[in-house]
Amino acid sequence: MPRGRGTMHSVNAPRPSVPRGRAARLAVPAAALAAVAGAFAYVGAVDPNEPGHYPACPLLRLTGLYCPGCGGLRSAHAVVHGDLLAALQANAPAVLGYAGLAVLWTVWVVRTVRGRPLRIDPPPALLWSLGALLLVFTVVRNLPFGGWLHP
């Protein structure tokens, strides 16, 4: 048989795509949800306001400065217990991040159910703006008049 003809497939030839069922497609988003739910359940059960349960923030311990994540565990604990005001007081950007990730996960699931891939392609201006906002938050919470932003 001449080379290149017949039914044999080349080693480098792409495999034909096999359509996956909805349950198989949802396995990864479900696993991500299970991991996040487990983490929130742990933080909800083990109070970060009590010393000794979690390691201290290295930046806070070494410099006395609050990083943008300081208060994030306390914020998550408050969210689990339904205390949105305490969560916002502990770390407002973290609460916004939790909400944003919940929306992103929902979009991921909807697109997965519809058989479409999740494309995350934020414009650079958005990423720079979010980074600038976090930087301003970090600087202000460490200034004398930013004490209301301390966790």
Side-chain angles (χ1 to χ4, degrees):
M1 183 182 319
R3 196 172 193 155
R5 294 186 184 188
T7 59
M8 295 184 68
H9 294 283
S10 168
V11 172
N12 296 328
R15 292 183 176 177
S17 64
V18 177
R20 295 183 348 185
R22 183 177 292 173
R25 289 193 312 258
L26 287 173
V28 175
L33 178 63
V36 170
F40 268 84
Y42 181 80
V43 171
V46 181
D47 191 355
N49 294 303
E50 296 178 15
H53 293 294
Y54 299 97
C57 172
L59 183 68
L60 181 61
R61 178 168 277 181
L62 294 173
T63 66
L65 297 173
Y66 295 107
C67 77
C70 281
L73 286 174
R74 284 179 231 127
S75 176
H77 181 79
V79 166
V80 169
H81 291 278
D83 192 352
L84 187 59
L85 184 58
L88 289 169
Q89 287 174 337
N91 192 324
V95 175
L96 296 174
Y98 307 148
L101 289 174
V103 168
L104 181 62
W105 182 85
T106 303
V107 169
W108 182 18
V109 168
V110 168
R111 291 190 63 85
T112 299
V113 166
R114 293 180 178 170
R116 296 181 183 158
L118 177 65
R119 264 188 69 111
I120 302 174
D121 194 20
L126 175 65
L127 297 176
W128 281 102
S129 298
L130 289 174
L133 284 172
L134 274 178
L135 180 63
V136 168
F137 170 74
T138 304
V139 169
V140 170
R141 81 186 314 199
N142 285 292
L143 293 174
F145 63 85
W148 58 280
L149 292 173
H150 292 175

